[in-house]
Amino acid sequence: MDLEMTEVAFFNGTGNCCSDMGTLFKSELMSRCQLYLPPEAAYNCVAELGELGLAQFVDLNPDVSAFQRQFVGEVKRCEEMERTLRYVETEIVKEKVGIADESEASIPAPAPREMVELEASLTTMENNLREVNINYVALRKNHLELSELKNMLRKTEVFLSENQLNLQELDENTRLLDDASDREKDIEDQAYSSMKFNITGGVIDRARLLAFERMLWRVSKGNVFLKVAEIDEQMEDPGSGDVLNKAVFIIFFQGEALRSRVKKICEGFHASVYPCPDSGVERREMLCGVDTRLSDLSTVLTQTTEHRHRLLVAAAATLRSSYVKVRKMKAVYHVLNMFSQRDGGRVLIGEAWLPTADIPDIRAAVNTGAQTAGATIPPTIEKVHTTEQHPTFNRTNKYTGGFQSLVDAYGVNTYREVNPSVYTIATFPFLFAVMFGDAGHGAIMLTASLWMIIKEKSLESKRNISEIFNIFFGGRYIVFLMSIFSIYTGLIYNDIFSKSFNIFGSHWSSKQMSFVATNSTPLSLGMSYMLDPKDNNSYHSEPYPFGVDPVWQSATNKIGFLNTYKMKISLIFGVIHMTFGVMLSLWNKISKKLYHQIFLEFIPQIVFLLGIFGYLVTMIFIKWVMYGANKADPFSEHCAPNLLITFINMMLMKKADVDIKMDKCHTSLNYEIYMYPGQDELQKMLLLIGVLMVPIMLLGKPLFIMYRRRQARARYDSLRDELLEPQQEDGGPAEEDFGEIMINQGIHTIEYVLGSVSHTASYLRLWALSLAHAQLSEVLWSMVMRIALASFKGYAGAIALYLIFAFWCMLTISILCLMEGLSAFLHTLRLHWVEFQSKFYEGAGYLFMPFSFRESLKQAAEDDKEVLKTIAK
């Protein structure tokens, strides 16, 4: 049967059905094509391909530096415009002006002639904004200086008025700290001196005030008097807008020597020094003049701020559209730099990887671009034969994209290799649910995933607020399926928050169970009993309709019963999963027409796996069917052999020892300790066949390759003799050495043989994690919720129940849902990457990365958010 024709067509995100050439089961067929574009239409054609997003261009100028390419000038102009937009955006964010959002898809790449207009408009916008900013900063600086001068004059006037000082009457004999009455008396008795006091006033940062005062004291040796007063008015730095905490200082000293020293100290501490008149009348006149200038300056600042705000609002309205246009132009010119010129620049030639099924759409898009540009010569697309490895292109949508990402994280599938993501959609959530089987915890996960799915449009723009949330949101459909399967397996286990639901009524009878309460043996609620299926009065061999009977939840032998059940189904699921992986390798070999590997690799591998471990699974089913607790000897429960011991004896080719307890189990049968006649012979034959498959896997492929090489050499020698030509060296790739082939095949054989054993044991993690999850849930219930239900009563009990229930919910979500869910997720991921995909998956390909405006703009938007965070800080 033709495997390619049986593939199911997969619908892409736009709703168009793909052809048989590309499905979710395999990657798309790819073709390397040459594009012949006329120079006048090359820009429009590449722009149309960027909107389509289906062409991965190949650089035809790998040896040419980026500064020597044809369109490097246009790229630099786009980068300059992008820098201008970044500056404008920074100013808009600082001003907290809203930026209008526009649909990127509705903004086409501008024509080349529009670059000049866009460049001119952006330059004008930047120049206007820079001019306004320079004037605005200068005005704010002037306003700050006038505010400092006003505060200095006011504080000086208050200080001098309180002490009734006149600077013109102060001499060297004046004691500034004495009372005014004492100074008047001394003035009458003493003559005036020619040495008058000097005053220096200004404003300084409060943080530097202590060091400033200490420096003045040391330099002047205590011959200055410093008066300080804090400025209550809030001030801002004109450039950065930071809040400034400043204080007014007044320095009294004598002599010109101290004047120069005080001036240098003020300059060193970045203190602003302002003139201070000697008389009070002059100070008051200057203060009135400063107030008038401040009033006029505030009016000018208000008008300047409004004008600047209008400029920013106008720029914000077109900022996003300008960003999109500039970035699309830049992306187009980057791609055109990969083209090469022919015929003196009359044609541009480029090469690109294209999906074969989409070549008609790509050709139509290129023709549309040429018609838009008015080209007289139509563009041409031709396929090019190449032996280069093709890129891998898997069409996905929001449902399948998450599972494809899980596979790609291990390794991108080789071109046209079987894609395991389609099977992962079913097997991944199922194996996760086997380990996470709890219907209650699954319901919590289902609620969270449904919320992300229903609100996905509004949450799409907020997904980058946290890296963890971005991961959960990207895998919301994976979480949804995992929760659905977890609810299913939870119902199978009959485990809901460590409790059971008696939906159909237990099929166990309590008639023979002792429920008599006495003073010495009181009957307590929740008492556990051991269940014995062979007791016909308690169990009538009618199983519970769906899942595990709820009575097992309170049985003392619950763990022993569920352990054997979960361990066996883990082995069954593991062998089925690995067998399916080996079967997928057959598809790969048929697709690549490597028919000899079917007989030399596939058949030995499947025979080895099923002959040994498939037989173990068969023995599990035989034991389940043949033996039972309610059956008589020799098929009662104590007559059932231990499968682990049986399997070990099979591997050692050792005859099973006769158990004394089972001595009478097979007296009525014509075979001794085995489950069926001829079991010993069959086991030895299966083991022998499995061992014989190992040398076939080890030597079959290398010997076949050596045989094919000898045949090729013989045909070449006979052909050379017929043509009578001398032998020439082949320019093709050198043949791999036979020793290397043997080493590689030996590694693969050992890996498969030992891996079959270790991988089968690895699937026991399904049993281990399921048991751990159930026990953690039960411990959390008994240690938290049982206390609230049994220890508190009355109104206090209601309040305690409320608080303890909240604590139990928090632990359930954080530990059992998040931590245990993450643990089960990682173990499931390992089972798929190592145990399943190692059987068939090569994963040596590379992704198809088409030229797409959508992806480039998306990446640029993420960079913008990082820049805006830096600006906001």
Side-chain angles (χ1 to χ4, degrees):
M1 181 177 61
D2 190 1
L3 293 178
E4 293 292 338
M5 299 302 296
T6 60
E7 295 177 352
V8 180
F10 176 68
F11 288 84
N12 58 18
T14 59
N16 297 324
C17 182
C18 304
S19 64
D20 292 335
M21 291 184 293
T23 69
L24 186 62
F25 295 93
K26 278 189 176 184
S27 61
E28 290 280 333
L29 280 173
M30 304 297 294
S31 299
R32 184 159 179 167
C33 300
Q34 278 190 343
L35 289 78
Y36 299 88
L37 306 179
E40 66 274 10
Y43 178 92
N44 297 79
C45 294
V46 174
E48 290 292 334
L49 293 179
E51 298 289 351
L52 194 61
L54 288 173
Q56 177 179 330
F57 288 92
V58 179
D59 191 0
L60 299 182
N61 310 303
D63 299 329
V64 181
S65 65
F67 302 100
Q68 296 176 343
R69 305 207 175 195
Q70 181 180 2
F71 299 96
V72 63
E74 286 77 2
V75 173
K76 289 182 177 180
R77 292 170 63 185
C78 292
E79 290 177 348
E80 180 63 22
M81 288 188 287
E82 197 170 6
R83 182 204 59 78
T84 301
L85 289 171
R86 182 76 68 197
Y87 167 75
V88 175
E89 185 180 18
T90 302
E91 297 299 322
I92 291 174
V93 172
K94 289 180 179 179
E95 193 67 17
K96 298 181 180 179
V97 177
I99 300 176
D101 291 330
E102 295 188 27
S103 176
E104 298 174 350
S106 61
I107 303 175
R113 61 179 178 273
E114 296 181 17
M115 176 183 283
V116 179
E117 300 176 1
L118 183 60
E119 191 175 14
S121 63
L122 292 179
T123 303
T124 303
M125 181 192 303
E126 182 187 15
N127 293 336
N128 292 338
L129 191 56
R130 285 189 182 277
E131 183 179 357
V132 171
N133 284 341
I134 292 173
N135 295 334
Y136 182 71
V137 171
L139 290 172
R140 290 189 62 185
K141 184 178 181 181
N142 195 5
H143 186 275
L144 176 64
E145 292 176 353
L146 291 175
S147 299
E148 291 178 349
L149 178 58
K150 181 184 71 172
N151 283 277
M152 191 273 295
L153 291 173
R154 285 182 176 177
K155 300 295 182 181
T156 303
E157 181 67 23
V158 171
F159 172 70
L160 297 178
S161 299
E162 289 177 351
N163 295 275
Q164 299 180 3
L165 293 176
N166 189 344
L167 297 179
Q168 295 178 352
E169 299 175 354
L170 297 180
D171 57 21
E172 63 179 350
N173 296 317
T174 303
R175 294 187 295 272
L176 299 176
L177 300 180
D178 290 344
D179 294 336
S181 59
D182 295 337
R183 286 200 303 271
E184 292 176 359
K185 184 177 180 181
D186 292 338
I187 290 172
E188 294 176 358
D189 298 337
Q190 297 178 7
Y192 289 167
S193 173
S194 60
M195 295 184 65
K196 300 297 181 180
F197 274 99
N198 297 320
I199 183 171
T200 298
V203 177
I204 190 173
D205 193 351
R206 294 181 193 174
R208 300 173 179 169
L209 190 58
L210 184 60
F212 178 68
E213 184 177 359
R214 186 183 297 111
M215 183 61 70
L216 282 173
W217 179 264
R218 291 178 179 176
V219 171
S220 66
K221 298 179 180 180
N223 292 320
V224 297
F225 176 72
L226 178 65
K227 179 66 177 178
V228 179
E230 294 184 356
I231 299 177
D232 298 330
E233 180 182 352
Q234 185 177 1
M235 298 181 178
E236 292 183 356
D237 186 88
S240 62
D242 298 334
V243 178
L244 300 177
N245 297 316
K246 293 196 172 186
V248 174
F249 65 89
I250 306 172
I251 306 172
F252 296 92
F253 57 90
Q254 286 180 329
E256 293 300 324
L258 280 180
R259 181 191 296 274
S260 62
R261 294 178 183 178
V262 169
K263 183 179 179 181
K264 290 181 179 179
I265 292 173
C266 291
E267 291 176 354
F269 282 88
H270 301 284
S272 302
V273 179
Y274 297 100
C276 182
D278 293 339
S279 65
V281 176
E282 293 178 357
R283 287 194 300 272
R284 285 188 287 273
E285 289 178 356
M286 180 180 286
L287 184 60
C288 291
V290 170
D291 287 336
T292 303
R293 292 172 62 188
L294 277 174
S295 178
D296 297 339
L297 192 58
S298 297
T299 304
V300 176
L301 268 174
T302 302
Q303 295 176 353
T304 306
T305 303
E306 292 177 354
H307 177 58
R308 181 173 181 270
H309 185 75
R310 286 194 297 270
L311 288 177
L312 293 177
V313 169
T318 59
L319 181 67
R320 290 297 173 219
S321 60
S322 299
Y323 258 133
V324 172
K325 291 178 181 178
V326 170
R327 284 168 175 167
K328 284 188 176 182
M329 281 193 296
K330 182 180 176 182
V332 170
Y333 284 120
H334 268 302
V335 171
L336 288 176
N337 278 332
M338 299 181 183
F339 281 57
S340 63
Q341 292 185 354
R342 298 282 178 87
D343 299 334
R346 289 180 295 179
V347 62
L348 290 177
I349 299 179
E351 291 190 6
W353 291 104
L354 308 177
T356 306
D358 295 318
I359 290 180
D361 296 336
I362 295 172
R363 184 175 284 110
V366 171
N367 291 331
T368 302
Q371 293 174 2
T372 304
T376 56
I377 302 176
T380 306
I381 299 178
E382 295 181 357
K383 291 184 179 180
V384 178
H385 177 73
T386 178
T387 58
E388 184 180 347
Q389 184 179 3
H390 293 42
T392 300
F393 178 37
N394 295 302
R395 294 186 190 269
T396 58
N397 52 26
K398 60 183 179 180
Y399 306 104
T400 60
F403 294 97
Q404 187 65 55
S405 299
L406 292 178
V407 175
D408 291 342
Y410 175 79
V412 179
N413 50 316
T414 309
Y415 177 67
R416 298 296 292 169
E417 185 182 17
V418 173
N419 186 13
S421 64
V422 61
Y423 314 106
T424 304
I425 295 175
T427 59
F428 191 91
F430 176 73
L431 293 182
F432 171 86
V434 172
M435 294 181 279
F436 194 77
D438 190 295
H441 301 156
I444 295 176
M445 292 176 56
L446 178 63
T447 303
S449 61
L450 285 177
W451 174 72
M452 289 188 289
I453 292 173
I454 295 173
K455 299 288 186 179
E456 64 181 8
K457 291 185 178 180
S458 60
L459 294 175
E460 182 69 31
S461 59
K462 305 175 183 177
R463 60 184 303 173
N464 292 322
I465 58 176
S466 171
E467 185 177 358
I468 296 177
F469 177 75
N470 188 19
I471 295 174
F472 278 104
F473 183 77
R476 58 193 179 278
Y477 291 101
I478 299 178
V479 178
F480 173 75
L481 287 179
M482 290 192 304
S483 62
I484 294 294
F485 278 82
S486 296
I487 293 175
Y488 167 75
T489 54
L491 295 176
I492 290 292
Y493 298 155
N494 207 339
D495 199 352
I496 305 170
F497 295 119
S498 77
K499 299 299 172 186
S500 297
F501 278 0
N502 192 1
I503 303 175
F504 303 102
S506 176
H507 285 215
W508 287 76
S509 174
S510 60
K511 295 180 180 179
Q512 300 300 321
M513 297 182 183
S514 176
F515 291 99
V516 179
T518 62
N519 293 332
S520 58
T521 58
L523 183 64
S524 60
L525 184 63
M527 184 178 295
S528 300
Y529 295 90
M530 178 177 288
L531 298 180
D532 188 3
K534 68 176 177 290
D535 187 357
N536 294 327
N537 295 321
S538 300
Y539 182 62
H540 301 287
S541 301
E542 294 179 3
Y544 194 68
F546 184 80
V548 178
D549 197 298
V551 74
W552 284 101
Q553 187 66 33
S554 58
T556 56
N557 55 338
K558 176 188 72 170
I559 295 180
F561 167 73
L562 292 179
N563 264 0
T564 57
Y565 164 69
K566 292 182 179 180
M567 181 178 64
K568 290 180 174 64
I569 64 171
S570 298
L571 290 174
I572 294 171
F573 292 152
V575 174
I576 293 175
H577 201 209
M578 291 189 296
T579 303
F580 181 64
V582 177
M583 295 299 295
L584 289 179
S585 68
L586 175 62
W587 191 355
N588 279 333
K589 291 174 173 55
I590 294 177
S591 298
K592 297 178 181 179
K593 297 181 180 180
L594 301 175
Y595 302 111
H596 66 280
Q597 293 187 11
I598 298 176
F599 299 97
L600 300 178
E601 283 189 348
F602 168 72
I603 293 179
Q605 287 177 355
I606 197 70
V607 169
F608 178 85
L609 182 64
L610 294 181
I612 296 177
F613 300 101
Y615 175 74
L616 175 61
V617 172
T618 305
M619 294 287 288
I620 293 175
F621 283 102
I622 291 175
K623 184 176 179 180
W624 279 348
V625 173
M626 292 182 59
Y627 297 90
N630 53 0
K631 292 184 179 180
D633 292 339
F635 301 107
S636 60
E637 58 177 357
H638 69 276
C639 290
N642 189 312
L643 293 183
L644 179 60
I645 301 300
T646 302
F647 188 72
I648 293 175
N649 291 332
M650 174 183 172
M651 294 294 102
L652 299 177
M653 299 189 71
K654 175 183 175 183
K655 188 174 182 180
D657 298 329
V658 178
D659 192 348
I660 299 177
K661 298 180 180 179
M662 302 172 58
D663 189 29
K664 299 181 179 179
C665 287
H666 298 274
T667 54
S668 59
L669 302 176
N670 56 359
Y671 51 92
E672 297 178 353
I673 58 176
Y674 298 102
M675 289 188 289
Y676 56 89
Q679 179 180 348
D680 185 38
E681 291 77 10
L682 178 61
Q683 292 178 171
K684 292 180 179 179
M685 182 183 68
L686 291 176
L687 180 61
L688 180 61
I689 293 175
V691 171
L692 291 177
M693 294 298 106
V694 176
I696 297 177
M697 289 186 283
L698 177 63
L699 302 175
K701 183 178 177 180
L703 293 178
F704 180 80
I705 293 175
M706 185 173 64
Y707 170 73
R708 292 286 296 269
R709 287 181 179 178
R710 289 182 176 179
Q711 279 190 331
R713 291 193 186 99
R715 287 195 301 267
Y716 181 80
D717 292 339
S718 62
L719 182 62
R720 185 194 59 186
D721 294 338
E722 292 177 1
L723 298 177
L724 299 176
E725 291 182 356
Q727 185 175 0
Q728 297 180 356
E729 294 292 335
D730 188 9
E735 292 183 350
E736 187 177 4
D737 186 67
F738 183 75
E740 294 181 1
I741 296 176
M742 283 296 301
I743 292 174
N744 290 333
Q745 190 65 22
I747 293 173
H748 289 306
T749 302
I750 295 173
E751 180 184 7
Y752 182 83
V753 173
L754 298 182
S756 298
V757 180
S758 62
H759 293 173
T760 303
S762 180
Y763 278 92
L764 291 176
R765 70 183 70 235
L766 298 174
W767 155 55
L769 267 75
S770 175
L771 176 64
H773 186 80
Q775 291 302 306
L776 277 175
S777 180
E778 186 173 351
V779 168
L780 184 62
W781 179 275
S782 61
M783 298 297 291
V784 178
M785 284 300 295
R786 183 174 294 180
I787 297 176
L789 296 173
S791 302
F792 299 97
K793 297 179 180 179
Y795 294 104
I799 298 174
L801 179 62
Y802 179 82
L803 297 175
I804 294 177
F805 177 75
F807 182 66
W808 176 80
C809 289
M810 180 185 69
L811 293 179
T812 298
I813 295 175
S814 61
I815 297 178
L816 295 179
C817 291
L818 292 178
M819 294 180 62
E820 279 289 303
L822 179 60
S823 175
F825 178 88
L826 294 176
H827 283 282
T828 308
L829 197 60
R830 182 243 154 78
L831 289 177
H832 281 78
W833 281 358
V834 180
E835 278 73 20
F836 174 58
Q837 292 179 190
S838 64
K839 301 296 184 295
F840 67 96
Y841 191 62
E842 184 178 359
Y846 65 98
L847 282 176
F848 174 63
M849 304 292 291
F851 167 61
S852 172
F853 286 147
R854 180 181 178 184
E855 293 299 324
S856 60
L857 292 175
K858 182 179 179 181
Q859 184 176 1
E862 294 177 357
D863 297 337
D864 288 343
K865 290 180 180 179
E866 296 297 328
V867 173
L868 292 177
K869 289 180 181 179
T870 305
I871 296 173
K873 293 179 180 179

